[in-house]
Amino acid sequence: MAVGGSSYEAVRSYVALGKEGTFGTYASATTAVEAISCSFKTEIESQKLDQICANRGYSHRVTLNKNVRGSLEQYLHPQESLLLIANALGGPIISTSLTAASSHSITSGNYDTTTVINSLSFNVRKGQTQTFRYTGGKVNTLKISGSVGEPIKLSAEIIFKDSTLQADDISSTLSISSVAPYTFAQGAFRYTSSEASLTSTVAEPIQSFELSINNNIVSGEDVRSLGTIIPDVLPATRRNIEFKVTNRWDTTTTFNRFIQATLGSIELIFTGVAISSEHNYGMTIRIPKVYNNTGDTEISGGEDILKSDISFDVLVDNNVHTTTSRDIGFTIKNNVVAY
């Protein structure tokens, strides 16, 4: 059959990932990820050489750097999202056994302990038969966002060391989780003056939120060397965290936080269905040190409700590198024993 004479359906694809022990060495990708979209792609830079050769056309072309990257989007999931979150944070996963459940704590770090998920491998089938391996994956940017009336979404932009086309279809061994992703109705937003004061009594109504983590990973010439077209390393530089919410403007409290440069702490909590009689699936996101960076609201029209789009400056809560120094942390409760 001629090229393009048949068709592959995107709906028959799958995405699976696993944690690597050695950067760039394929690890068995057994954790299924029900993706909304996956744009992983391999590109090789080329250059047509501009040479004098008695002809107006080009006579030679060379290949240069190989770049493998793309985005993965999914609904925020109590089980499937944890490895992506852990890789984006660069800190260890600490798992604790509960009654018929487990709690997993992830704190932002510098990719410098043995328990850190330093890199990821992916096994991706595109259509019915074409299976790709992506290795040495690092989450460059992670975004978690939600709006009233919608499921919560997670989007990860990932940079890889390398990729290969393989004949290792693992669809028959992948099991799809029966647990549903989180929705906005299962969430709560809390703001107060300190992390110790984050309780249910300080919850504030919001209509949407967006959390972004940017690791500013270097993937250009500085991390490559003579004799290979793929990067040697993918170092993460300055981590930048941004957090935004939209809420109704009905008080000057948020304006006072802005104008007075008030220090605060933020918590997002999602509570899912029951795991057992004692525990529910859950995810808690804590940002211990923030400053409100938005002032008063705008009047856009006579038929609108006044709202405020608030952005926060996020800082590390301890400016020296200690075991308690962090700018964000996740606690995830599910039925997975360990990752």
Side-chain angles (χ1 to χ4, degrees):
M1 184 174 292
V3 174
S6 184
S7 65
Y8 282 3
E9 295 83 37
V11 72
R12 297 181 65 179
S13 306
Y14 69 72
V15 179
L17 79 162
K19 58 180 182 179
E20 293 183 350
T22 302
F23 172 64
T25 300
Y26 182 74
S28 180
T30 57
T31 301
V33 176
E34 294 178 88
I36 302 171
S37 64
C38 179
S39 66
F40 297 167
K41 192 174 182 180
T42 303
E43 296 181 343
I44 298 179
E45 300 171 9
S46 66
Q47 182 177 340
K48 294 186 291 185
L49 301 182
D50 190 2
Q51 302 174 106
I52 299 172
C53 58
N55 193 295
R56 292 180 57 243
Y58 292 96
S59 60
H60 291 89
R61 174 253 196 191
V62 295
T63 56
L64 304 171
N65 291 332
K66 184 177 184 180
N67 299 299
V68 186
R69 62 175 63 211
S71 296
L72 175 68
E73 186 178 28
Q74 67 163 163
Y75 296 115
L76 183 65
H77 195 274
Q79 298 165 324
E80 297 176 359
S81 300
L82 193 142
L83 287 179
L84 290 168
I85 293 169
N87 183 251
L89 263 63
I93 301 175
I94 300 174
S95 299
T96 304
S97 177
L98 306 173
T99 303
S102 296
S103 177
H104 311 280
S105 175
I106 312 169
T107 297
S108 58
N110 296 329
Y111 298 97
D112 56 0
T113 72
T114 57
T115 54
V116 170
I117 311 299
N118 278 320
S119 56
L120 300 169
S121 289
F122 281 81
N123 185 302
V124 180
R125 190 177 77 180
K126 301 184 178 184
Q128 291 93 300
T129 60
Q130 295 181 352
T131 305
F132 292 80
R133 283 184 178 182
Y134 297 92
T135 54
K138 289 197 170 186
V139 176
N140 188 32
T141 61
L142 183 83
K143 182 172 75 173
I144 298 175
S145 59
S147 299
V148 168
E150 296 181 1
I152 308 302
K153 289 184 178 181
L154 179 150
S155 177
E157 189 258 314
I158 304 173
I159 301 174
F160 295 93
K161 180 178 182 179
D162 203 359
S163 67
T164 55
L165 178 61
Q166 296 281 339
D168 61 343
D169 191 320
I170 61 171
S171 57
S172 61
T173 63
L174 287 177
S175 59
I176 304 300
S177 174
S178 61
V179 183
Y182 294 113
T183 69
F184 197 88
Q186 297 171 312
F189 169 75
R190 298 171 182 174
Y191 175 97
T192 189
S193 58
S194 67
E195 186 176 5
S197 304
L198 286 168
T199 65
S200 59
T201 60
V202 294
E204 298 182 357
I206 61 171
Q207 285 68 58
S208 66
F209 74 90
E210 182 178 291
L211 169 66
S212 298
I213 302 170
N214 188 345
N215 285 310
N216 288 295
I217 290 175
V218 179
S219 61
E221 281 70 19
D222 289 343
V223 298
R224 300 170 187 261
S225 59
L226 188 69
T228 179
I229 63 173
I230 61 176
D232 301 318
V233 291
L234 290 173
T237 58
R238 177 75 72 188
R239 178 176 54 244
N240 183 45
I241 298 176
E242 296 181 354
F243 186 73
K244 304 175 183 178
V245 300
T246 298
N247 66 355
R248 292 185 292 270
W249 173 274
D250 58 358
T251 174
T252 58
T253 300
T254 54
F255 177 77
N256 290 336
R257 293 171 184 167
F258 161 71
I259 207 69
Q260 296 167 11
T262 303
L263 175 63
S265 293
I266 282 174
E267 186 174 69
L268 277 172
I269 292 181
F270 300 99
T271 304
V273 298
I275 305 173
S276 64
S277 59
E278 297 186 32
H279 300 284
N280 285 52
Y281 290 96
M283 181 178 294
T284 300
I285 305 171
R286 280 196 170 183
I287 309 175
K289 188 174 182 178
V290 301
Y291 289 93
N292 187 326
N293 200 32
T294 304
D296 46 344
T297 189
E298 299 177 357
I299 303 173
S300 55
E303 297 180 355
D304 295 333
I305 293 175
L306 291 180
K307 294 186 296 183
S308 182
D309 297 318
I310 302 172
S311 63
F312 295 89
D313 288 332
V314 178
L315 303 178
V316 175
D317 65 342
N318 188 341
N319 60 7
V320 295
H321 181 52
T322 66
T323 56
T324 59
S325 175
R326 63 188 180 129
D327 41 16
I328 191 169
F330 284 67
T331 301
I332 298 168
K333 193 183 294 184
N334 59 28
N335 63 348
V336 179
V337 175
Y339 285 85

